[in-house]
Amino acid sequence: MNHALTTAAAGFGTGLSLIVAIGAQNAFVLRQGVRRDAVLAVVGICALSDAVLIALGVGGVGAVVVAWPGALRAIGIVGGVFLLCYGVLAARRVLGPGTGLRAEGEAAGSRRRAVLTCLAMTWLNPHVYLDTVFLLGSLAADRGPLRWTFGLGAALASLCWFAALGFGARLLGRFLARPGAWRVLDGLVALTMLALGATLVVGS
């Protein structure tokens, strides 16, 4: 029992160390959390997607994907172009007329757009596959019979992180009610998206 808890804790720590770094997905979740726009749906998609990818990695799917090198290259190009477009939109918001944060209710169109964008951010980012399917999968394989316990710990870390990021971001609402502060957030989002998008396209 103690060995299982230790393995789960190791998976939790490893998973957390991989997803805490600022990236396209985290920047998007943060922005949705601040705007209070489809937060539950976005957090759910990110956590569930990570759980599925971690399960695939623990199950050994990573070795199969390696046999098809063109897969990650294609994902990298499509994902890179998507991130570049999203970065341009964020940059336009920075340069546009100043408007503070409005935490209005979610419209159906807003929820649908947020869900589709979140799915693209998650599944078109090859870094997600490298971290969850390949890296976590290989680390879990070293745990032998407890590899699924390790994977469960990593999936739990993902759920805790995205929930904290999405629902905790609203604490910044008062600060970001000022147009200048909102521009800073959108500026960081734009820089993150453009840098990652360019890296993916060039690397692919």
Side-chain angles (χ1 to χ4, degrees):
M1 182 64 178
N2 289 336
H3 194 34
L5 289 176
T6 302
T7 302
F12 186 94
T14 304
L16 199 60
S17 67
L18 291 175
I19 63 175
V20 165
I22 295 300
Q25 191 182 45
N26 284 341
F28 177 74
V29 175
L30 178 62
R31 189 174 195 279
Q32 293 300 117
V34 170
R35 297 182 66 226
R36 303 182 188 182
D37 183 7
V39 180
L40 181 60
V42 167
V43 169
I45 288 172
C46 291
L48 182 60
S49 297
D50 269 10
V52 171
L53 290 168
I54 290 170
L56 292 176
V58 174
V61 175
V64 177
V65 178
V66 170
W68 188 26
L72 283 179
R73 186 176 300 111
I75 293 173
I77 294 174
V78 175
V81 172
F82 173 79
L83 292 180
L84 287 173
C85 293
Y86 193 90
V88 170
L89 292 177
R92 288 182 60 186
R93 289 194 297 267
V94 175
L95 301 175
T99 55
L101 173 66
R102 294 194 303 270
E104 64 264 4
E106 304 166 10
S110 177
R111 285 195 299 271
R112 184 163 51 249
R113 183 167 57 253
V115 166
L116 292 176
T117 303
C118 185
L119 287 171
M121 289 280 183
T122 302
W123 292 92
L124 292 181
N125 185 357
H127 291 164
V128 174
Y129 295 91
L130 293 174
D131 289 344
T132 56
V133 177
F134 298 109
L135 183 54
L136 280 175
S138 62
L139 291 175
D142 293 336
R143 301 286 171 166
L146 290 176
R147 65 184 184 280
W148 288 105
T149 303
F150 182 90
L152 180 62
L156 181 60
S158 176
L159 174 60
C160 291
W161 169 253
F162 286 120
L165 188 64
F167 293 107
R170 66 183 59 189
L171 298 176
L172 300 173
R174 182 177 300 179
F175 171 72
L176 290 172
R178 294 174 293 179
W182 191 239
R183 275 200 174 99
V184 171
L185 177 62
D186 267 332
L188 292 174
V189 171
L191 289 175
T192 300
M193 302 299 179
L194 291 173
L196 289 175
T199 300
L200 289 179
V201 171
V202 173
S204 299

